[in-house]
Amino acid sequence: MAMFLLYAPILASFLCSLYFFHRRRSCIHPLLRDYFILGMLPPLLFNLWRIHDFITDVLKKNGGTGEFKGPWFTKMNYFLTCDSLNVQHMLSKRFDNYIKGPAFREIFEPFGDGVVTADSETWKYFRTVLHSLIRQRRFEVFVDQTVQKKVHTSLLPILDHAEQEGRVVDLQDIFNRFTFDNMCSTIVGHDPQCLSLDFPEVAIERAFNESEESIFYRHIVPRSVWRFQKWLQIGQEKKMTEACRTFDEFIYSRIASKREEMSKCSREEMEEAPFDLVSALMMTEERGRVHDDKFLRDAAFNFFVAGRETMTSALTWLFWLIGNDPLVEGKIVEEIKEKFRNEKEVIGMEEVKKLVYLHGALCEALRLFPPVPIERKQAVKADTLPSGHRVNGNTMIMFSLYAMGRCEEIWGKDCMEFKPERWISERGEIVYAPPYKFIAFNAGPRICLGKDLAFLQMKMVAAAILRSYRFKVVEGHVATPSHSIVLLMNNGLKATITKRQLL
């Protein structure tokens, strides 16, 4: 016992020396103060309520790039950057060296083996199939008709009802319900009618939201913790399991229903039927490649999340921004008034291509508030980034899209301003920005296939609303990002509505 007491301080001192030696070697460019065994996690948790602004501030103070170390003995070690040249290097020039990886697929478990999480040949096949479907004129026409129908039969009547009753509305909830119904119709040919006057709670819609919150949770706690919770089926992991069960039951039931419908149809009848995604994928089976239900489920889920979240997030932040900038709102309305003098004129996909200023406003909303604020990659082999930083093989890398939209080096000293004019040339045309700078739709080989289609749909919705209504954000409403992998508002977007007279 005496010997133990004699050598215990020496042993403790030796272990501490080893620890600090390890931290100095493994953390060459630290972003934050290292809190002994807890690493850099304490300040991150303390600033969780403003996590994206906190990461932006930290990156700016460290030249845009550095390392984050989690608690000792955990795998929460990341290399963070908002340097556009680093991003271009990883997403384009050295694309094959930066993959999603098995850790990504484990965290994003609900996505299965879809286009968002897959690597290599699986990803290439998924992308090729989806690309061929999205590019078809028949699919674009179907989406155009689906959006127009939802706008005129659900969205505008609900806004009319709210205006007549003088009710405060939650625009984010309305956009969320609209895009959920729209994507369900587009992907599985079924409208769950979430956007109804009684605002029903739909289990499948709630399941998608809870799964996204659980994925965010997996990013901020040690892997051992959430895996233990998953094993015990407690806390956020229990919600994840229940959410997966709910949306799997929904998607698989729609797939089974589609297969039954198509088994009773002739080839000619199938060609005339609505061109939703699952039906289209099943029709490709007729041409030689059989897609099992798991493939269809993963394709539907990935396409669903990608399409739904972009629209909900972008429209919510757009209306927040214009609600706080009457000058920009006035210019958008003036453009709508000039291009569509007849109030009964249909605003479809072809028509909204004329709305250049609205396009610029949407680009600004996506720049300042990208729907997916953080992207994650894993290095296959050691590499040196354009910034001069060295990354080792298997290094987990995160780049902050949110911080990139606030970088003076990319957007100039007015980067914090909501300025649609930055996207419009002197000739009144839309200005092109390289994807590795305007990163909301990703860049390189993984750039979003539905980018153009998403812009057209968002412009249709925004134009239809702003043409008829004025919105005023409720006084004192604070817009804070929710704890999710998607950049939504924590408490929604509360606003009052009044009718607008364009003519």
Side-chain angles (χ1 to χ4, degrees):
M1 184 66 179
M3 290 292 289
F4 174 78
L5 292 174
L6 176 66
Y7 287 107
I10 299 174
L11 180 62
S13 177
F14 174 71
L15 291 175
C16 285
S17 297
L18 274 180
Y19 171 79
F20 284 115
F21 175 73
H22 165 76
R23 300 303 275 197
R24 280 198 298 271
R25 283 194 62 195
S26 62
C27 198
I28 302 170
H29 310 283
L31 286 172
L32 296 164
R33 177 184 171 186
D34 192 334
Y35 286 82
F36 195 50
I37 293 175
L38 296 176
M40 302 175 188
L41 190 59
L44 186 73
L45 294 177
F46 184 75
N47 288 277
L48 194 60
W49 64 277
R50 57 181 293 269
I51 184 67
H52 300 297
D53 288 309
F54 175 67
I55 291 173
T56 299
D57 293 342
V58 169
L59 285 170
K60 283 183 177 181
K61 290 176 182 176
N62 289 273
T65 304
E67 290 183 278
F68 172 86
K69 291 290 179 180
W72 203 18
F73 301 124
T74 71
K75 294 184 178 180
M76 291 185 68
N77 301 335
Y78 302 107
F79 190 87
L80 271 69
T81 186
C82 64
D83 186 315
S84 64
L85 294 180
N86 286 346
V87 171
Q88 182 186 27
H89 180 84
M90 290 185 284
L91 297 185
S92 299
K93 295 182 177 180
R94 292 295 309 277
F95 172 75
D96 291 337
N97 192 52
Y98 296 92
I99 61 174
K100 297 291 186 177
F104 182 98
R105 282 188 286 279
E106 185 180 22
I107 288 175
F108 285 77
E109 181 184 352
F111 286 73
D113 296 318
V115 70
V116 172
T117 57
D119 286 312
S120 190
E121 296 304 315
T122 303
W123 167 75
K124 288 179 182 177
Y125 178 72
F126 254 114
R127 190 171 177 88
T128 300
V129 171
L130 291 175
H131 184 267
S132 67
L133 294 176
I134 290 173
R135 295 292 177 181
Q136 292 187 41
R137 174 62 180 164
R138 185 181 170 193
F139 182 71
E140 184 178 317
V141 170
F142 175 64
V143 173
D144 189 4
Q145 293 172 346
T146 300
V147 174
Q148 286 193 45
K149 180 180 178 182
K150 198 66 190 174
V151 166
H152 292 287
T153 62
S154 297
L155 180 60
L156 296 182
I158 282 174
L159 293 178
D160 266 333
H161 182 74
E163 191 271 336
Q164 290 168 11
E165 291 196 342
R167 288 169 47 195
V168 171
V169 297
D170 181 350
L171 288 178
Q172 180 171 269
D173 185 38
I174 288 174
F175 293 142
N176 198 34
R177 290 169 179 274
F178 176 89
T179 54
F180 188 87
D181 287 348
N182 179 49
M183 294 309 297
C184 274
S185 298
T186 302
I187 296 169
V188 297
H190 169 73
D191 183 352
Q193 297 185 341
C194 292
L195 189 59
S196 304
L197 284 175
D198 55 347
F199 286 85
E201 182 172 312
V202 179
I204 178 65
E205 194 264 347
R206 186 178 69 254
F208 273 97
N209 295 337
E210 289 181 347
S211 68
E212 288 162 358
E213 291 171 4
S214 298
I215 291 171
F216 176 84
Y217 175 79
R218 287 182 174 187
H219 276 87
I220 60 171
V221 298
R223 180 168 174 257
S224 56
V225 173
W226 65 256
R227 290 189 77 183
F228 184 64
Q229 289 187 333
K230 181 180 179 181
W231 181 62
L232 291 178
Q233 280 300 288
I234 59 174
Q236 201 69 41
E237 288 301 311
K238 181 180 180 181
K239 290 183 179 180
M240 168 79 90
T241 300
E242 292 172 348
C244 287
R245 186 183 303 117
T246 298
F247 56 64
D248 277 356
E249 287 175 357
F250 170 76
I251 293 177
Y252 281 123
S253 69
R254 294 309 306 167
I255 291 171
S257 178
K258 281 289 176 187
R259 289 202 185 280
E260 184 178 357
E261 288 175 19
M262 295 182 73
S263 68
K264 299 175 182 178
C265 295
S266 65
R267 183 72 188 177
E268 292 73 23
E269 289 174 324
M270 287 165 58
E271 293 287 351
E272 295 297 323
F275 200 68
D276 60 81
L277 179 73
V278 169
S279 295
L281 287 172
M282 287 180 178
M283 287 176 67
T284 63
E285 296 177 354
E286 301 291 320
R287 302 184 180 97
R289 178 70 182 248
V290 176
H291 298 139
D292 62 18
D293 286 1
K294 176 67 164 56
F295 177 93
L296 295 173
R297 178 265 176 216
D298 291 347
F301 185 90
N302 281 251
F303 198 78
F304 192 104
V305 173
R308 174 198 177 211
E309 305 306 358
T310 299
M311 287 186 65
T312 300
S313 174
L315 287 170
T316 299
W317 290 106
L318 171 70
F319 276 77
W320 160 255
L321 289 166
I322 64 177
N324 288 286
D325 195 328
L327 185 60
V328 169
E329 180 185 12
K331 289 181 179 180
I332 295 174
V333 173
E334 187 60 33
E335 181 179 55
I336 295 171
K337 180 179 178 180
E338 179 186 336
K339 302 298 182 183
F340 306 104
R341 295 188 179 279
N342 183 353
E343 289 189 28
K344 295 183 179 180
E345 185 178 351
V346 173
I347 303 181
M349 284 188 176
E350 282 302 315
E351 290 75 22
V352 295
K353 291 177 182 178
K354 308 172 190 175
L355 301 176
V356 176
Y357 195 83
L358 176 57
H359 189 99
L362 268 169
C363 286
E364 281 291 86
L366 288 162
R367 176 181 71 85
L368 291 166
F369 300 100
V372 179
I374 292 180
E375 180 63 90
R376 173 181 174 136
K377 291 286 185 180
Q378 181 177 344
V380 178
K381 299 177 182 178
D383 190 19
T384 300
L385 299 177
S387 61
H389 295 84
R390 181 78 173 168
V391 293
N392 297 320
N394 295 321
T395 299
M396 291 297 174
I397 301 168
M398 289 189 177
F399 46 90
S400 172
L401 284 64
Y402 186 91
M404 289 177 70
R406 289 161 166 73
C407 283
E408 288 188 14
E409 294 80 4
I410 300 174
W411 300 104
K413 293 189 180 296
D414 61 353
C415 62
M416 297 303 295
E417 294 180 31
F418 175 50
K419 192 176 178 182
E421 288 79 7
R422 81 173 78 240
W423 297 91
I424 304 169
S425 70
E426 292 181 0
R427 297 174 57 184
E429 298 172 345
I430 296 168
V431 172
Y432 169 80
Y436 59 89
K437 291 184 177 180
F438 180 51
I439 193 72
F441 292 93
N442 216 315
R446 280 189 179 267
I447 193 167
C448 178
L449 291 171
K451 174 183 175 182
D452 294 337
L453 203 58
F455 263 116
L456 293 173
Q457 292 180 76
M458 290 187 290
K459 288 165 74 173
M460 287 171 68
V461 174
I465 294 174
L466 291 170
R467 182 193 210 182
S468 303
Y469 305 98
R470 296 176 183 275
F471 289 89
K472 184 177 180 182
V473 177
V474 171
E475 189 174 345
H477 179 80
V478 178
T480 55
S482 61
H483 291 161
S484 174
I485 57 170
V486 179
L487 199 65
L488 297 173
M489 290 188 187
N490 194 38
N491 297 308
L493 178 55
K494 307 298 194 307
T496 55
I497 314 174
T498 54
K499 277 281 189 180
R500 186 194 303 279
Q501 297 298 325
L502 285 185
L503 299 177

